[in-house]
Structure formats: C-alpha cells, structure tokens
Amino acid sequence: MTLRDDAVAHVMSTYPAPRATFVRGEGSWLVDADGDRWLDFLSGLAVTSLGHAHPAVTRAVAEQAATLVHTSNLFVTPPAVELASRLGALAGWPDARTFFAQCGATANEAALKLARRHGKRIDADKHRVVALEGSFHGRTFATLEATGQLQKHVPYEPLLGTVDHVPFDDADALRAAVDERTCAVLVEVIQGEGGVRTVPAAVLETARQVCDAADALLIVDEVQTGIARTGPWFAWQNSGIVPDVFTLAKALANGLPIGACVAHGDAAQVFEPGDHATTFGGNPVTSAAALAVLDTLEGGVRDASRARAEQVRAGLDALIADGLGRGVRGAGMLLGLELSQPVAAAVESACDARRLVVNAVAPDVVRLAPPLTVSDEEVDMALTRLRDALNDVKEAA
Ligand SMILES: *Cc1c(COP(=O)(O)O)cnc(C)c1O
C-alpha cells in the first residue's frame, strides 16, 4: 500500500485522486516521497505566499505554541488583538473591527451573518444577497449558496434561497437585482476559482452605488486576492471602491488555518455579544503566524515581489507571442494563462511531469500563484518548464 492508496481508503474522496505526495517544503520548492523537487507556482492555492517553511513563520508558531495555544473567546490574547489592529491599519480604517474565523468560508459566513443582522435591523424582509456568476465564496451552506457556480449547488438543494446571481460583467443587471430587500452585495475583485477573471471596474463602482442607495453592505471577498497577492494589501485598494466589509483567509497565516472578516463604519458595530461565535477564532498560534506574515511582507517581500510579478507576466507574454497562449488574466502574482484550446488539464499534467506545480482553473486557463518570495532564477526556471509543457501538449495534439 502506498500513502496514496491509504489516502483513498481512509480520507473521504471529496477531491480528485491526489497528483503527488509531498513530504517537505523549502521556499518555492516541494519535495515528494521519492525525493523529487517540484517548483511550486501554485502556493497551495495562493496560501503559502512566503514559500514553504518560512523561518519567520516557523519561529512565530514555535514560540507561540510554547507560550499559549488556546483560551477560547471568553478571554483575549495579545496576538489576536494585535492582528485585528494591524489589519485595520492596512485597510486604512482606524475604526475597523475584525471577527476571526478559521478559513475563507467561515470568514464569509461571518460577513453574510453580519449583513443579515444589518438588514433585519432595518426591515424583517431585508435579507437578500446579490452575488456574481462564476464567483467562489466557500462550501458551507450559506457560502455555497453565494457561490455563483450553480453546478456546485445541485447536490445540496434546497439551499437558503436568499441569493441572486448576476453576470460578473453586467453592471446593469447588478443594478436591477438590488432593491430595498437586499442586505448585501458580495463580490470578488478578481474571481480566482472562477478562472482568474477580473471583475470590471464599472461593476464594482455600480456595486458601491447600489449598496449606498439601498442601505446594503458591500462585502468584498479577499480570501484569495488579499495579503498582497495581487499587489496592494487588498485588491479593493486598487479598484476604486471601498467596501463596508472584506474577508481574508488563504495567505493570511501562510498555511495555518485562519479567516478574518474586517468591517468599518456602521458595519463594524453590527454584531453584539452573542450574535456570532466560533471556538477557535482568534487562536493565538494562527494569529502569531499571521503577524509574522505581515512583518515579513512589510520587511521588503511585498516590494520585491512587484518585479517578480512583472517578470512572470513578461514571460507569459513571450509564450503568447510564440503562439503558446492567447492572453493573460489577473494581476500581480495571481495570473491566468489563457490557452487557445480547452487543454488546461493536459497542460497541468505536463507541468506535473516537468515538476512544476500549477493548476487548471478553467478548461482553457492555467493559474499561476507563485510565492511572493520567489527568486528571479526560479521564475526563469518555471517559465522554461511551462514552455516545455505547453510544447508537450501541442505536440501530443
Ligand atoms: C478559497 C476561497 C474561499 C473559501 O475558502 P476556504 O478556506 O476553502 O473555506 C472563499 N472565497 C474565495 C475567493 C476563495 O478563493
């Protein structure tokens, strides 16, 4: 029996068969059970932005684990309070307040419950949410319903029946969908799981306007785009709009489970004691890891990553110039290479064979989310492996 056989036997098969078994990680590299080194240009789905086993995170986790691991929310601990205040400062919101969760779905679940609470204070019927087609917001019942990929709903229907979806690029449809019964509009700035699709500025601006007009909250899901993945700390900071609430998770603690729902203004005052809770929220170890992530990014990694992001994009543009792709989507270090044919799965496999980790995020889009700590040599290596993989697929066709 291999570990993969054991996984199939003992772990519920909600995921496709595993592509590889990794036993160790170092910076931009993953090491498999045979000792092969894979260049990781996916970062565990935009999570390990500082690479694997980053010493600052390792140290913070080890020190906090040796100091205090858990107290429950009946008490406060320094790392969570400091993290909440740091997130507010990065948003530029002196009055921000944060609810800590465990992951993206539970951060969004908190945001949706906050919006429901906001709406019900105004009117009993003000409980509807408008979200975008193609979006991804999580897999709990409420966040699944908000997710605009309806094939994921089918096995679990009936859902709550409170979310309307509009096309991700249609400002007029969004305007028409929002009325006085709307308590929130939920958007991503770039739809990561939806194929690295940038939501048009006009849609985001309309979302802000209609939320103001309808007294609804604008929630931006920054679970994938946040923490400098696309350049700014949060993607909304480059989008021309300011949300009432945004959510974080993936990269916040470089791989430790954490989620955050950050609000300002009136939205920050909505929850009252007893309104929402979670046992592990604000855990000191995950919060300490997140503080180490923010320190490291502020200490030069975020600045240095801009040049690497340009290098990746230039490399993808060169592939396109050579007929190996049709376009590039996304921003910063969250990029999608659009292919001329729906062969992204084959390209993913060819990259696996060349020991480059990427993923097929749509039938014709390959997603790249390298660590922000990647070196220029590693970027060159990855681009060479990707070019070879694209040629492999082209020749096999
Ligand atoms: C990954 C993701 C989620 C869900 O996060 P989980 O940690 O898997 O629950 C929600 N929203 C977006 C935009 C995501 O990319």
Side-chain angles (χ1 to χ4, degrees), residues 282-312:
N283 176 272
V285 177
T286 54
S287 299
L291 289 170
V293 167
L294 299 183
D295 287 343
T296 305
L297 288 169
E298 282 174 340
V301 168
R302 187 166 84 96
D303 290 338
S305 74
R306 292 212 178 84
R308 298 288 77 74
E310 277 166 29
Q311 188 187 350
V312 176

Side-chain angles (χ1 to χ4, degrees), residues 27-28 48-51 54 296 301 305 333 370-375 378:
S28 307
T48 49
S49 285
L50 300 185
H54 192 283
T296 305
V301 168
S305 74
M333 288 289 218
L372 305 190
T373 48
V374 72
S375 71
E378 288 165 345

Side-chain angles (χ1 to χ4, degrees), residues 45 102-106 108 136-139 188 190 192-193 221-225 247 249-250 258 367:
L45 299 171
Q102 290 79 31
C103 62
T106 52
N108 286 331
F136 185 78
H137 299 297
R139 299 285 203 144
E188 295 154 276
I190 298 173
E193 298 308 305
D221 180 343
E222 292 269 358
V223 167
Q224 186 153 162
T225 49
T247 53
K250 289 193 162 86
I258 192 170
R367 170 171 46 184

